[in-house]
Amino acid sequence: MSLLLGIDTGGTYTDAVLFHEEQGVVASAKSLTTRHDFAIGIGQSIEKVLATAETDPSEIALVSLSTTLATNALVEGQGGHISLIMIGFGETALLRNDLRSAVKEDPVVFLSGGHDGQGEPLADLDEKELKTQLDRLGNEVTAFAVAGLFATRNPEHEIRAREIILERTGASVTCSHELSSKLDGPRRALTSVLNARLISLIHHLIEATEGLFEAHNIAAPLMVVQGDGALISAEIAKIKPIETILSGPAASLVGAAYLSGLQNAVVSDIGGTTTDIAVLQDGNPRLDENGATVGGWRTMVEAVAMYTIGLGGDSEVSVRQSGLDLQLELGPRRFIPVSLLAESYPALVHDTLELQLSRGRGNELYGRFAVAVGQNLSLMGSFSDLEKEMLADLSGGPRPLEKWLAKRKHHIALESLVTKGAVMICGLTPSDAAHVLHLHTDWDRSAAEKAARLFANNKNSKGKSIALSAVDMSKLIIKTLVRKSNETLLAAALEGDRFLSPTLSQTLIAGSVREEPNPFVDVDVKFKLPIVALGASAHVYYPDVAAQLNTTALIPEYAGVANAIGAVVGQVRVSVDASISKTESDYFRLYHSGDPRDFSTLEKAVADAEQTLRDEAKEHARLAGADDIRVKFKREDNTAVIEGKEFFVESLLKATAYGRPRITK
């Protein structure tokens, strides 16, 4: 039996697990994620787990990686500078599916071309205009997204556009028809935009991981976890990084099933940036075939039906005015905890906090610092002169925001740098609150206590402080996180219910936990399923979460490294789709990844489609790294009854190939 290495790079920690196919978990290790250079944190975790297991690295037969990188990038609005090429669409297409918002300020090029619903060309592709626009853009963008009208019916214009872009720029290109076979061009375009924006980030992560193998004498293939919990080769993940959104949460779900032994449960994984909630049904993750939603974007990526919220141990703590009072807010942006920054820069952090405390008043910039992430800046697009100046200043170390943001233009530049992933903000987080309350002990509690005291100085319209002490402030933060976790769990449970809206969750939770009961109505919430709580900080919050929901919380051994475990116990699973519909000339037309094909009968079209899809699925699975491949074929015919007669509408076809990852030893 083989020895497998699972790695997970989360927003805060990078985990590593050595797993034996017969013995289970052999050893585990945890290091801080080093966002400026992922290889450092990955290398530290690999070294720790190998030292703990006292094993020969050459015995490792497979390495599998799960990551929250893509999910966190979308939630936090990070990624490369891209251009969207729209073929056959008008500008109004940008108004659908929040496409305009996803594109941000990146350039969009509209070209004539595209096809109709039967795959026939509407106009020739305007190659001359495409070349002109590419020359105009120059090196302004790092990747391109291409979306053609009805490209899933006929992808020839997307394919030709990609050829021209590659010839003229050499930049990476994402074609929408390769990400989804479904209609809805603007949503395919949205998915392509997000994929293109993630390419440089995931490429950097994979290269950093592979670069460590030789140094550690590991000669094994690298797999990456997809959003549906299945595995794909690293080479495919580089091309289709959007497939890795919810990779970390999907791996945690697979790991939760393995660790808990439960067939039916609600799984909640709290990380540094997000809380991810999903359901285990009959031992398998429940999938969202309509497409995963992350960071507010409804993509066309089939993934685990995951309810994701920007709420984690490292969430930003802020306040907003609500009437005459202050309302505490958590997330969605991730901060570096003050207690963690103080580990590396103790004098700067403590001197700044003490000076600000001595003034005896609140300020929204107090207790906050700007920190250069140190990422490969060439991957992040262009920077303005002011942004370059601010980055140069940060090369000397973190800077207190109070001194650094002198003018409004500096605020705008900082937001841009954060969006591009070049800078992170350090400030008060739930992790700091946990240190104040002695629930965490890893970092500098004194710095956390000072930051909490500073934040407690925030006053409402009546001049009343939000809290009287650092301890009271920290309790309020933890209480808020528990309440928001309960609301999210309840909203996830009510998702899709025809009679109960997920928006009821806030009302129900508020009614069930209020300190003074309502004299007329008792509100009680009871979860029917147990909660499997994962993440390094699960033990801090989830006993209270489960108690308020009147259920049990199972926090299994190795809960803090469930993602890494899920990465190595999964399998490769690849699906390819096609559809058949009738043409105006009464032929049955097969639409798939290639040119449309016509057949005289439905059964002939289905027979050809089945063979084509089986072959494609098997080949895709082989390229994804699978061994001992099995293929399942599914056909679903849709008909309509008109005046008592049944008419054929469409046949939907899918082939799914399964197999365990290819082991080298």
Side-chain angles (χ1 to χ4, degrees):
M1 289 293 177
S2 301
L3 193 62
L4 314 177
L5 173 62
I7 302 171
D8 173 66
T9 61
T12 303
Y13 289 106
T14 293
D15 304 325
V17 167
L18 273 175
F19 185 89
H20 192 277
E21 289 187 300
E22 282 188 346
Q23 301 171 9
V25 177
V26 175
S28 66
K30 187 179 291 287
S31 300
L32 286 171
T33 294
T34 48
R35 290 175 66 131
H36 66 283
D37 185 351
F38 291 110
I40 297 175
I42 293 172
Q44 289 172 346
S45 288
I46 290 176
E47 289 172 4
K48 287 181 181 179
V49 79
L50 290 175
T52 301
E54 298 181 345
T55 189
D56 182 357
S58 65
E59 295 179 6
I60 296 173
L62 177 77
V63 182
S64 190
L65 173 71
S66 76
T67 175
T68 59
L69 175 65
T71 305
N72 292 349
L74 295 186
V75 169
E76 297 174 359
Q78 297 179 357
H81 190 36
I82 64 98
S83 176
L84 171 62
I85 311 297
M86 298 284 279
I87 305 172
F89 291 97
E91 293 190 21
T92 56
L94 293 177
L95 303 178
R96 292 174 54 191
N97 300 106
D98 281 335
L99 180 55
R100 174 77 270 176
S101 177
V103 172
K104 300 181 181 179
E105 299 302 318
D106 288 339
V108 181
V109 176
F110 293 93
L111 300 175
S112 62
H115 296 77
D116 63 19
Q118 293 194 330
E120 300 294 340
L122 294 170
D124 291 336
L125 174 65
D126 193 343
E127 297 186 11
K128 182 180 179 180
E129 177 65 13
L130 174 58
K131 293 174 183 177
T132 299
Q133 293 295 332
L134 292 175
D135 292 341
R136 181 183 63 81
L137 288 171
N139 297 321
E140 184 181 340
V141 300
T142 60
F144 290 85
V146 180
L149 186 64
F150 282 105
T152 54
R153 295 302 201 205
N154 192 333
E156 63 176 345
H157 286 176
E158 285 194 358
I159 294 171
R160 178 56 185 153
R162 174 172 58 193
E163 292 172 351
I164 294 172
I165 294 169
L166 290 174
E167 290 170 1
R168 222 152 180 98
T169 71
S172 60
V173 184
T174 297
C175 290
S176 74
H177 76 276
E178 294 180 333
L179 297 179
S180 176
S181 62
K182 296 179 180 179
L183 301 177
D184 193 343
R187 192 146 72 96
R188 275 189 293 105
L190 168 72
T191 307
S192 302
V193 164
L194 299 179
N195 187 79
R197 191 164 281 142
L198 292 170
I199 284 176
S200 61
L201 296 175
I202 204 75
H203 200 279
H204 180 62
L205 172 62
I206 290 173
E207 285 196 338
T209 305
E210 292 177 328
L212 292 165
F213 288 1
E214 185 175 352
H216 289 86
N217 195 29
I218 298 173
L222 175 63
M223 306 291 288
V224 180
V225 183
Q226 294 186 123
D228 61 358
L231 305 179
I232 54 173
S233 68
E235 291 306 309
I236 292 181
K238 288 180 183 178
I239 300 170
K240 297 182 179 181
I242 193 71
E243 301 285 354
T244 70
I245 61 171
L246 302 178
S247 163
S252 74
L253 200 61
V254 176
Y258 174 83
L259 291 171
S260 69
L262 295 175
Q263 293 291 300
N264 298 284
V266 175
V267 179
S268 186
D269 184 3
I270 182 167
T273 307
T274 61
T275 293
D276 307 301
I277 299 168
V279 176
L280 273 176
Q281 288 182 320
D282 300 324
N284 295 309
R286 187 171 68 187
L287 299 182
D288 184 355
E289 295 185 356
N290 292 321
T293 299
V294 180
W297 313 118
R298 169 65 80 173
T299 72
M300 282 186 140
V301 177
E302 184 175 293
V304 169
M306 189 72 64
Y307 206 94
T308 300
I309 183 174
L311 177 70
D314 298 343
S315 289
E316 171 187 4
V317 178
S318 60
V319 291
R320 66 175 176 85
Q321 197 73 32
S322 178
L324 296 177
D325 293 320
L326 293 177
Q327 180 73 40
L328 193 67
E329 299 284 339
L330 300 180
R333 188 162 58 175
R334 176 180 179 266
F335 273 12
I336 297 173
V338 175
S339 53
L340 175 57
L341 188 68
E343 290 287 301
S344 300
Y345 301 93
L348 169 71
V349 172
H350 283 281
D351 289 350
T352 300
L353 296 177
E354 288 169 5
L355 176 62
Q356 293 170 346
L357 280 168
S358 69
R359 295 168 183 158
R361 63 178 186 273
N363 184 305
E364 64 178 358
L365 299 182
Y366 281 4
R368 294 190 172 187
F369 303 81
V371 184
V373 177
Q375 196 81 272
N376 186 344
L377 302 184
S378 65
L379 300 176
M380 300 180 189
S382 58
F383 294 91
S384 69
D385 290 341
L386 179 58
E387 289 169 0
K388 292 175 182 176
E389 179 184 320
M390 294 171 75
L391 282 174
D393 184 47
L394 284 180
S395 64
R399 295 287 184 262
L401 292 193
E402 174 201 4
K403 297 179 180 179
W404 210 51
L405 301 181
K407 299 179 180 178
R408 176 171 171 74
K409 66 179 182 180
H410 293 102
H411 288 261
I412 296 171
L414 175 61
E415 288 301 317
S416 176
L417 290 170
V418 170
T419 297
K420 292 174 180 176
V423 172
M424 286 190 67
I425 306 299
C426 167
L428 185 66
T429 68
S431 294
D432 292 310
H435 277 82
V436 173
L437 299 176
H438 300 282
L439 300 173
H440 271 327
T441 57
D442 294 340
W443 306 324
D444 190 330
R445 181 186 176 277
S446 176
E449 191 269 342
K450 291 172 184 175
R453 281 169 55 200
L454 265 177
F455 199 90
N457 285 335
N458 280 288
K459 293 180 171 59
N460 63 17
S461 300
K462 301 175 183 177
K464 182 180 179 182
S465 297
I466 191 171
L468 297 177
S469 67
V471 170
D472 288 343
M473 185 71 249
S474 299
K475 288 180 178 179
L476 179 59
I477 292 170
I478 299 298
K479 181 179 179 181
T480 302
L481 190 145
V482 169
R483 176 180 55 78
K484 289 197 70 173
S485 297
N486 284 334
E487 291 172 359
T488 307
L489 280 161
L490 193 56
L494 296 176
E495 184 80 14
D497 193 294
R498 293 172 54 197
F499 304 104
L500 295 176
S501 168
T503 56
L504 281 174
S505 59
Q506 294 183 0
T507 302
L508 292 173
I509 293 299
S512 66
V513 300
R514 59 185 294 167
E515 295 179 1
E516 295 182 8
N518 186 288
F520 308 110
V521 179
D522 283 333
V523 179
D524 192 28
V525 177
K526 179 173 176 59
F527 244 48
K528 292 183 178 179
L529 292 175
I531 299 172
V532 180
L534 305 176
S537 61
H539 67 283
V540 175
Y541 313 113
Y542 273 80
D544 287 342
V545 168
Q548 290 185 13
L549 291 175
N550 290 303
T551 187
T552 57
L554 174 61
I555 306 174
E557 185 181 10
Y558 302 115
V561 292
N563 293 32
I565 293 171
V568 293
V569 299
Q571 64 176 349
V572 175
R573 183 176 62 251
V574 178
S575 295
V576 291
D577 300 273
S579 65
I580 300 170
S581 60
K582 214 167 185 181
T583 67
E584 293 177 355
S585 53
D586 281 342
Y587 280 93
F588 292 89
R589 181 164 291 177
L590 169 63
Y591 302 103
H592 64 116
S593 58
D595 293 336
R597 298 203 294 267
D598 289 344
F599 298 86
S600 58
T601 68
L602 175 60
E603 292 310 314
K604 286 181 179 179
V606 170
D608 186 90
E610 179 173 357
Q611 187 60 53
T612 298
L613 293 183
R614 283 183 177 275
D615 290 344
E616 285 186 10
K618 192 168 185 178
E619 178 61 13
H620 288 338
R622 185 189 67 79
L623 293 173
D627 208 359
D628 190 22
I629 300 169
R630 307 173 309 283
V631 181
K632 292 182 179 179
F633 179 76
K634 180 182 178 182
R635 170 184 173 183
E636 179 182 335
D637 289 343
N638 294 323
T639 60
V641 177
I642 302 175
E643 296 181 353
K645 293 183 179 181
E646 187 176 41
F647 292 87
F648 172 79
V649 176
E650 184 181 41
S651 184
L652 302 177
L653 313 161
K654 174 181 284 192
T656 305
Y658 305 81
R660 277 288 293 163
R662 195 176 300 117
I663 303 296
T664 59
K665 299 176 178 66

